[in-house]
């Protein structure tokens, strides 16, 4: 088939659950991406906080191709060296003592929620199965994780949701205290709500959740699928809080663009996932784990983590200047290289227009709902790439909002 592929083919052959931009990217290097016409874009979206080392990083390409020439897949009937190495490093670097690998964030959360219920069931019986989650949270698109996620639009219309799930307002400790009981198996929380606009949890909230879950023998689950792997200037965001969970989930940045997910937990909790209780055909495959190891080699260094914070401040200063010039934004929230740029109420609903205008000017950004422009660039974006992207973004914003 030698026919040129076009964006029109999307409508012809793809399920219409996405609405991709009009151009088709074909190649990337660092924080720059080229489309079929050879136009270039600065990537501030990072593939939704995934490509933490940009595109085609030589070390990741080398790790993947080297492993590709050795061994791709055997299933979990066998273990493999890249998986053992990556698990050992995650154990060494975190509160965790055991790791389960999956292929995505949603699957890592699915494993976390199943483990929490299993532990509760084994220790206290079937009545202890309730899950407390936050309004506005996002935990994935499997049916269990959309049910636990706090955005009803994602679970509506798919039939009855699993029982025993409650949603409470984010950052509201009293709401959790009022809801938690001897029937609670888990409280799941994002340390920074990503899909709802980069809203960080307060320290008191996270400390309070730790105490409440301990008192009620419930699992505290941190969903670090988006916040982890250096995004906030620490390997995992929970390090900022000095509070360890019982279960933590990682994905996105962990593979730098190669699909991988991980659930981290203690030895005591892990033993409830005994042989046969849970599994995945591809989870922990050598390719994904080899890339994960290469990602950690680079991200988990003082230079890169410190670089996240300095880059973040530089980018925030310029975004604030653009925000003022345009008069369109009420607030810029950021934690490391992770930005939520809130439109003023009079411009509500127009974040999608910003994304489209940015694409026209040659810069890729993301949304967090209709009123917030989200950005999550590479953790090692160069100064020149960043400044070029910001100049383009300024043009885009001023083309819509004249200040
Ligand atoms: C992206 C995301 C997920 C889902 O990850 P997938 O890899 O898309 O399944 C879960 N939780 C959070 C916080 C996320 O940002």
């Amino acid at each position: 088939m030698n026919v040129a592929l076009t964006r029109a083919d999307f409508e012809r052959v793809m399920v219409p659950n996405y609405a991709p931009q009009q151009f088709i990217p074909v190649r990337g290097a660092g924080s720059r991406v080229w489309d079929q016409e050879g136009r270039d874009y600065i990537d501030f979206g990072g593939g939704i906080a995934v490509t933490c080392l940009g595109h085609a990083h030589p070390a990741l390409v080398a790790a993947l191709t080297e492993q590709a020439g050795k061994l791709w897949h055997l299933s979990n009937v066998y273990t493999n060296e890249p998986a053992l190495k990556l698990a050992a490093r995650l154990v060494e670097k975190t509160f965790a003592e055991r790791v389960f690998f999956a292929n995505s964030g949603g699957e890592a959360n699915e494993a976390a929620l199943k483990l929490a219920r299993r532990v509760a069931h084994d220790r206290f019986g079937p009545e202890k199965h309730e899950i407390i989650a936050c309004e506005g949270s996002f935990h994935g698109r499997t049916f269990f994780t959309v049910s636990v996620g706090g955005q009803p639009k994602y679970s509506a219309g798919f039939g009855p949701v699993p029982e025993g799930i409650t949603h409470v307002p984010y950052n509201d400790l009293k709401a959790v205290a009022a809801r938690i009981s001897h029937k609670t198996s888990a409280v799941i929380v994002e340390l920074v709500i990503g899909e709802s606009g980069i809203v960080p949890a307060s320290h008191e909230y996270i400390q309070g959740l730790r105490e409440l879950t301990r008192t009620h023998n419930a699992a505290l689950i941190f969903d670090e699928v988006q916040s982890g792997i250096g995004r906030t200037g620490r390997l995992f965001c929970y390090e900022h809080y000095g509070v360890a969970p019982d279960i933590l989930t990682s994905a996105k940045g962990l593979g730098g663009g190669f699909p991988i997910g991980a659930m981290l937990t203690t030895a005591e909790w892990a033993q409830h996932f005994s042989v046969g209780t849970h599994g995945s055909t591809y989870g922990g495959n050598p390719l994904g784990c080899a890339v994960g190891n290469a990602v950690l080699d680079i991200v988990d260094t003082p230079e890169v983590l410190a670089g996240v914070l300095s880059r973040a401040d530089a980018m925030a200063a310029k975004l604030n200047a653009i925000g003022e010039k345009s008069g369109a934004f009420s607030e810029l929230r950021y934690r490391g290289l992770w930005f939520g740029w809130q439109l003023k109420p009079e411009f509500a609903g127009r974040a999608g227009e910003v994304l489209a205008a940015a694409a026209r000017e040659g810069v890729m950004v993301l949304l967090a709902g209709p009123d917030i422009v989200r950005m999550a660039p590479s953790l090692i974006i160069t100064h020149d790439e960043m400044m070029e992207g910001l100049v383009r973004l300024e043009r885009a914003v001023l083309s819509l909002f004249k200040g």
Side-chain angles (χ1 to χ4, degrees):
M1 195 178 102
N2 241 344
V3 209
L5 297 165
T6 69
R7 174 62 177 73
D9 290 317
F10 183 89
E11 269 73 32
R12 204 166 54 78
V13 295
M14 302 287 268
V15 169
N17 61 314
Y18 303 116
Q21 295 294 303
Q22 288 305 315
F23 59 96
I24 303 183
V26 293
R27 184 167 69 84
S31 287
R32 205 177 289 268
V33 170
W34 287 266
D35 71 11
Q36 290 175 313
E37 268 72 58
R39 275 196 77 206
D40 74 294
Y41 303 79
I42 299 293
D43 186 1
F44 284 168
I48 317 193
V50 168
T51 48
C52 59
L53 297 174
H55 300 280
H57 190 289
L60 302 199
V61 173
L64 182 65
T65 48
E66 196 198 319
Q67 188 58 45
K70 283 189 193 163
L71 192 63
W72 287 24
H73 175 79
L74 281 169
S75 87
N76 288 296
V77 175
Y78 312 90
T79 189
N80 67 75
E81 291 182 351
L84 292 171
K85 183 173 170 193
L86 182 56
R89 294 172 79 170
L90 291 170
V91 162
E92 190 201 331
K93 287 291 179 177
T94 68
F95 75 97
E97 296 158 326
R98 298 290 185 271
V99 178
F100 168 82
F101 287 117
N103 309 294
S104 66
E107 281 175 77
N109 283 327
E110 186 85 19
L113 295 163
K114 281 181 72 179
L115 176 62
R117 277 197 168 170
R118 187 70 183 218
V119 171
H121 184 279
D122 290 351
R123 291 175 62 199
F124 301 98
E127 221 203 348
K128 191 173 177 67
H129 66 267
E130 292 182 2
I131 293 165
I132 299 175
C134 294
E135 292 168 6
S137 66
F138 183 78
H139 298 298
R141 296 291 200 129
T142 68
F143 197 57
F144 197 2
T145 57
V146 285
S147 308
V148 169
Q151 301 184 63
K153 62 176 190 235
Y154 292 141
S155 57
F158 294 107
V161 299
E163 269 178 52
I165 300 164
T166 335
H167 296 102
V168 292
Y170 189 60
N171 259 332
D172 182 345
L173 191 58
K174 287 209 184 85
V176 179
R179 197 68 198 77
I180 199 167
S181 75
H182 67 282
K183 291 187 190 170
T184 307
S185 64
V187 175
I188 182 167
V189 68
E190 292 166 83
L191 297 169
V192 177
I193 286 228
E195 303 294 315
S196 294
I198 321 303
V199 181
S202 73
H203 283 251
E204 304 72 55
Y205 180 59
I206 295 303
Q207 265 147 20
L209 290 184
R210 180 66 285 182
E211 282 156 31
L212 283 173
T213 46
R214 211 164 254 146
T215 312
H216 291 86
N217 293 306
L220 179 60
I221 305 173
F222 289 166
D223 178 346
E224 288 234 36
V225 168
Q226 197 160 164
S227 61
I229 315 298
R231 181 58 52 196
T232 69
R234 297 281 186 95
L235 185 59
F236 287 104
C237 187
Y238 84 89
E239 298 167 37
H240 294 290
Y241 291 85
V243 172
D246 302 299
I247 304 173
L248 179 148
T249 53
S250 178
K252 292 203 164 108
L254 182 58
F258 196 90
I260 183 172
M263 179 197 72
L264 282 57
T265 188
T266 63
E268 191 188 338
W269 285 71
Q271 68 185 352
H272 293 263
F273 262 1
S274 56
V275 175
T277 46
H278 190 60
S280 159
T281 298
Y282 297 113
N285 71 80
L287 292 173
C289 293
V291 177
N293 279 308
V295 167
L296 288 190
D297 284 341
I298 297 169
V299 171
D300 191 22
T301 55
E303 311 80 73
V304 168
L305 294 175
V308 168
L309 300 178
S310 56
R311 282 170 173 79
D313 289 339
M315 188 153 159
K318 182 72 181 154
L319 287 171
N320 276 320
I322 299 170
E324 251 171 57
K325 208 161 160 184
S326 70
F329 296 90
S330 59
E331 190 189 1
L332 177 73
R333 289 182 295 273
Y334 72 105
R335 281 290 180 279
L337 280 168
W338 198 14
F339 303 88
W341 209 11
Q342 179 98 37
L343 285 164
K344 284 183 178 166
E346 57 264 44
F347 301 113
R350 298 187 63 184
E353 288 175 48
V354 177
L355 188 144
R360 282 196 297 275
E361 295 294 340
V363 59
M364 297 162 144
V365 299
L366 306 166
L367 306 181
D371 312 329
I372 300 169
V373 177
R374 178 169 42 142
M375 283 163 274
S378 159
L379 308 183
I380 56 168
I381 186 169
T382 66
H383 181 79
D384 288 354
E385 288 165 337
M386 183 191 288
M387 288 309 149
E388 197 171 345
L390 287 165
V391 166
R392 294 177 184 191
L393 186 58
E394 174 166 6
R395 273 203 298 272
V397 167
L398 294 181
S399 76
L400 294 173
F401 315 107
K402 295 268 180 312

